[in-house]
Amino acid sequence: GKGEYEHFMLKEIHEQPTSLAQAIEGRIDPETERISLDGFDPGTFEHVDAVQLVACGTSYHAALYGSLALNQAGVQATALLANEYSVVAPPVDDDTLVVAVSQSGETADTLSALRQANRRGADTLTITNVVGSTAAREADDALFIRAGPEIGVAATKTFSSQAVMLTLLAQRIAADACGHVPADLESLLPDIGKMPDAIDGLLEESAADAIARDYLDSESFFFIGRGLGYPVALEGALKFKEITYEHAEGFASGELKHGPLALVTRETPVFAIFTGQEDEKTLKNAEEAQTRGAPVIAVCPDDHRAVEVADDHLTIPDVDSELAGLLANVQLQLVSYYAADLLGRPIDKPRNLAKSVTVE
Ligand code: F6R
């Protein structure tokens, strides 16, 4: 049941410290600081020279996040919408690993892309929450995120776990295929272990309900981010439109000036996500929106320069830049939740949507 929470979505947002701890459990060897994945012996990914991630919706945003984590670890990777995969038909060979990311493991679009990859001779792997799901059975291998059941139609805790799982997988593929993991990722593994506590702290002190209330009357809601902040901007906007029914869009920060800026007015708050990747540029992009009258809500640590510039602030603990976006995402989940709640929306069952989409 929902226990003390009014909605499953809020309960599942609050479960993230636990679900993330479960995702990580036993998967980082504390002595060697190496990733150990059950059923994947060292060297399993030695031959992998390219990774294609396929997924839909929120899982696609996690896949995009994962593709960037793979690139940063030195592994060639692209994320593709599963429903575009058959027409894009990117070349695969037996050194291509195709990773299907799906909470349910039953999404028809994702299964179709997975089957196509299998037919074309790629190695396939699924990252899913559901043991025994179709994706888990049909892929060559499976990694389970162990998030526990997710009842709310809007995916929340499973996004965080998918992204962290992909971050671990990136390290592991880099270690097998490239023989090493880039040195600048050294603080990443210890910081992954700190994520459950970091989210706990964030949830206790979040100002998301006040922010949701203050900006509820706006016309449109924009989310911008760069690098790992970009998939978080897309996810922030998807969650917002799904459960509030208000118009929301996510953009790469640098793209604002290439068109969307025409939409920016004092009625379009801009949530700017800072992940420590060229933040000065994102801040400049946010200021360009602010000059046109848009209120800017900075999502970043307290001591970040953006706090002074922005009209409002949602705080995140200071962690490795590879993880900051996941903390920002939790704040944005809460903003969507409180906005939808104030609007009286049926949060756990938004109109026209189903938890698992079994048609193409
Ligand atoms: C968004 C949402 C959907 C799913 C998408 C893929 O909150 O829930 O966008 O993420 O339908 O579903 P799975 O991950 O089960 O393949």
Side-chain angles (χ1 to χ4, degrees), residues 319-342:
V319 292
D320 189 285
S321 70
E322 192 135 345
L323 300 167
L326 300 183
L327 297 175
N329 187 59
V330 176
Q331 286 285 24
L332 298 180
Q333 290 172 344
L334 290 169
V335 172
S336 290
Y337 174 82
Y338 287 114
D341 196 38
L342 287 164

CSV table of all heavy atoms in Angstrom, one decimal, residues 319-342:
chain,number,residue,atom,x,y,z
A,319,VAL,N,28.2,16.4,-5.3
A,319,VAL,CA,28.8,15.1,-5.6
A,319,VAL,C,29.5,15.1,-7.0
A,319,VAL,O,29.4,16.1,-7.7
A,319,VAL,CB,27.7,14.0,-5.7
A,319,VAL,CG1,27.1,13.7,-4.3
A,319,VAL,CG2,26.6,14.4,-6.7
A,320,ASP,N,30.1,14.1,-7.3
A,320,ASP,CA,30.8,13.9,-8.6
A,320,ASP,C,29.8,14.4,-9.7
A,320,ASP,O,28.6,14.1,-9.7
A,320,ASP,CB,31.2,12.5,-8.8
A,320,ASP,CG,32.0,12.2,-10.0
A,320,ASP,OD1,31.5,12.3,-11.2
A,320,ASP,OD2,33.2,12.0,-9.9
A,321,SER,N,30.4,15.1,-10.7
A,321,SER,CA,29.5,15.7,-11.7
A,321,SER,C,28.8,14.6,-12.5
A,321,SER,O,27.7,14.8,-13.1
A,321,SER,CB,30.3,16.6,-12.7
A,321,SER,OG,31.1,15.8,-13.5
A,322,GLU,N,29.3,13.4,-12.5
A,322,GLU,CA,28.5,12.3,-13.2
A,322,GLU,C,27.2,11.9,-12.4
A,322,GLU,O,26.4,11.2,-13.0
A,322,GLU,CB,29.5,11.1,-13.3
A,322,GLU,CG,28.9,10.0,-14.2
A,322,GLU,CD,29.9,9.5,-15.2
A,322,GLU,OE1,31.0,10.0,-15.4
A,322,GLU,OE2,29.6,8.4,-15.8
A,323,LEU,N,27.1,12.3,-11.2
A,323,LEU,CA,25.9,11.9,-10.4
A,323,LEU,C,25.0,13.1,-10.1
A,323,LEU,O,23.9,12.9,-9.7
A,323,LEU,CB,26.4,11.3,-9.1
A,323,LEU,CG,27.2,10.0,-9.3
A,323,LEU,CD1,27.9,9.6,-8.0
A,323,LEU,CD2,26.3,8.9,-9.8
A,324,ALA,N,25.5,14.3,-10.2
A,324,ALA,CA,24.8,15.5,-9.8
A,324,ALA,C,23.4,15.6,-10.5
A,324,ALA,O,22.4,15.9,-9.9
A,324,ALA,CB,25.6,16.8,-10.1
A,325,GLY,N,23.3,15.2,-11.7
A,325,GLY,CA,22.1,15.2,-12.5
A,325,GLY,C,21.0,14.4,-11.9
A,325,GLY,O,19.8,14.7,-11.9
A,326,LEU,N,21.4,13.3,-11.3
A,326,LEU,CA,20.4,12.3,-10.7
A,326,LEU,C,19.8,13.0,-9.4
A,326,LEU,O,18.6,12.8,-9.1
A,326,LEU,CB,21.1,11.0,-10.3
A,326,LEU,CG,21.7,10.3,-11.5
A,326,LEU,CD1,22.2,8.9,-11.1
A,326,LEU,CD2,20.6,10.1,-12.6
A,327,LEU,N,20.6,13.8,-8.7
A,327,LEU,CA,20.1,14.5,-7.6
A,327,LEU,C,19.2,15.6,-8.0
A,327,LEU,O,18.1,15.8,-7.5
A,327,LEU,CB,21.2,15.0,-6.7
A,327,LEU,CG,22.2,14.0,-6.1
A,327,LEU,CD1,23.3,14.6,-5.4
A,327,LEU,CD2,21.4,13.1,-5.2
A,328,ALA,N,19.6,16.3,-9.1
A,328,ALA,CA,18.7,17.4,-9.6
A,328,ALA,C,17.4,16.7,-10.1
A,328,ALA,O,16.3,17.3,-9.9
A,328,ALA,CB,19.4,18.0,-10.8
A,329,ASN,N,17.5,15.6,-10.6
A,329,ASN,CA,16.2,14.9,-11.1
A,329,ASN,C,15.3,14.6,-10.0
A,329,ASN,O,14.0,14.8,-10.2
A,329,ASN,CB,16.6,13.6,-11.8
A,329,ASN,CG,15.4,13.0,-12.5
A,329,ASN,OD1,14.7,13.6,-13.3
A,329,ASN,ND2,15.1,11.8,-12.0
A,330,VAL,N,15.8,14.3,-8.8
A,330,VAL,CA,14.9,14.0,-7.7
A,330,VAL,C,14.1,15.3,-7.3
A,330,VAL,O,12.9,15.3,-7.0
A,330,VAL,CB,15.7,13.5,-6.4
A,330,VAL,CG1,14.7,13.3,-5.2
A,330,VAL,CG2,16.3,12.1,-6.8
A,331,GLN,N,14.9,16.4,-7.3
A,331,GLN,CA,14.2,17.7,-7.0
A,331,GLN,C,13.1,18.0,-8.0
A,331,GLN,O,12.0,18.4,-7.7
A,331,GLN,CB,15.2,18.9,-7.0
A,331,GLN,CG,16.1,19.0,-5.8
A,331,GLN,CD,15.4,19.5,-4.6
A,331,GLN,OE1,14.2,19.4,-4.4
A,331,GLN,NE2,16.2,20.0,-3.7
A,332,LEU,N,13.4,17.7,-9.3
A,332,LEU,CA,12.4,18.0,-10.3
A,332,LEU,C,11.2,17.0,-10.3
A,332,LEU,O,10.1,17.4,-10.6
A,332,LEU,CB,13.1,17.9,-11.7
A,332,LEU,CG,14.2,19.0,-11.9
A,332,LEU,CD1,14.8,18.8,-13.3
A,332,LEU,CD2,13.6,20.4,-11.7
A,333,GLN,N,11.4,15.8,-9.8
A,333,GLN,CA,10.3,14.8,-9.6
A,333,GLN,C,9.4,15.4,-8.6
A,333,GLN,O,8.2,15.4,-8.7
A,333,GLN,CB,10.9,13.5,-9.0
A,333,GLN,CG,11.6,12.6,-10.0
A,333,GLN,CD,12.3,11.4,-9.4
A,333,GLN,OE1,12.4,11.3,-8.2
A,333,GLN,NE2,12.7,10.5,-10.2
A,334,LEU,N,10.0,16.0,-7.5
A,334,LEU,CA,9.1,16.6,-6.5
A,334,LEU,C,8.4,17.8,-7.0
A,334,LEU,O,7.2,18.0,-6.6
A,334,LEU,CB,10.0,17.0,-5.3
A,334,LEU,CG,10.6,15.8,-4.4
A,334,LEU,CD1,11.6,16.3,-3.5
A,334,LEU,CD2,9.5,15.1,-3.7
A,335,VAL,N,9.0,18.7,-7.8
A,335,VAL,CA,8.3,19.8,-8.3
A,335,VAL,C,7.1,19.4,-9.1
A,335,VAL,O,6.0,19.9,-8.9
A,335,VAL,CB,9.3,20.7,-9.2
A,335,VAL,CG1,8.5,21.8,-9.9
A,335,VAL,CG2,10.4,21.3,-8.4
A,336,SER,N,7.3,18.4,-10.0
A,336,SER,CA,6.2,17.9,-10.8
A,336,SER,C,5.1,17.3,-9.9
A,336,SER,O,3.9,17.6,-10.1
A,336,SER,CB,6.6,16.7,-11.7
A,336,SER,OG,7.4,17.2,-12.7
A,337,TYR,N,5.5,16.5,-8.9
A,337,TYR,CA,4.5,15.9,-8.0
A,337,TYR,C,3.7,17.0,-7.3
A,337,TYR,O,2.4,17.0,-7.3
A,337,TYR,CB,5.2,15.1,-6.9
A,337,TYR,CG,4.2,14.6,-5.9
A,337,TYR,CD1,3.4,13.5,-6.2
A,337,TYR,CD2,4.0,15.3,-4.7
A,337,TYR,CE1,2.4,13.1,-5.3
A,337,TYR,CE2,3.0,14.9,-3.8
A,337,TYR,CZ,2.3,13.8,-4.1
A,337,TYR,OH,1.3,13.4,-3.2
A,338,TYR,N,4.3,18.0,-6.7
A,338,TYR,CA,3.6,19.0,-6.0
A,338,TYR,C,2.7,19.9,-6.9
A,338,TYR,O,1.6,20.3,-6.5
A,338,TYR,CB,4.5,19.9,-5.1
A,338,TYR,CG,5.0,19.1,-3.9
A,338,TYR,CD1,6.4,18.8,-3.8
A,338,TYR,CD2,4.2,18.6,-2.9
A,338,TYR,CE1,6.9,18.0,-2.7
A,338,TYR,CE2,4.6,17.9,-1.9
A,338,TYR,CZ,6.0,17.6,-1.8
A,338,TYR,OH,6.4,16.8,-0.7
A,339,ALA,N,3.2,20.2,-8.1
A,339,ALA,CA,2.4,21.0,-9.0
A,339,ALA,C,1.2,20.2,-9.4
A,339,ALA,O,0.1,20.7,-9.4
A,339,ALA,CB,3.3,21.3,-10.3
A,340,ALA,N,1.3,18.9,-9.7
A,340,ALA,CA,0.2,18.1,-10.1
A,340,ALA,C,-0.8,17.9,-8.9
A,340,ALA,O,-2.0,18.0,-9.1
A,340,ALA,CB,0.7,16.7,-10.5
A,341,ASP,N,-0.3,17.9,-7.7
A,341,ASP,CA,-1.1,17.7,-6.5
A,341,ASP,C,-2.0,19.0,-6.3
A,341,ASP,O,-3.2,18.9,-6.1
A,341,ASP,CB,-0.3,17.4,-5.3
A,341,ASP,CG,-1.1,16.9,-4.1
A,341,ASP,OD1,-2.0,16.1,-4.4
A,341,ASP,OD2,-0.8,17.3,-3.0
A,342,LEU,N,-1.3,20.2,-6.5
A,342,LEU,CA,-2.0,21.4,-6.3
A,342,LEU,C,-3.1,21.6,-7.4
A,342,LEU,O,-4.1,22.2,-7.1
A,342,LEU,CB,-1.0,22.6,-6.4
A,342,LEU,CG,-0.1,22.8,-5.2
A,342,LEU,CD1,1.0,23.7,-5.5
A,342,LEU,CD2,-0.9,23.4,-4.0
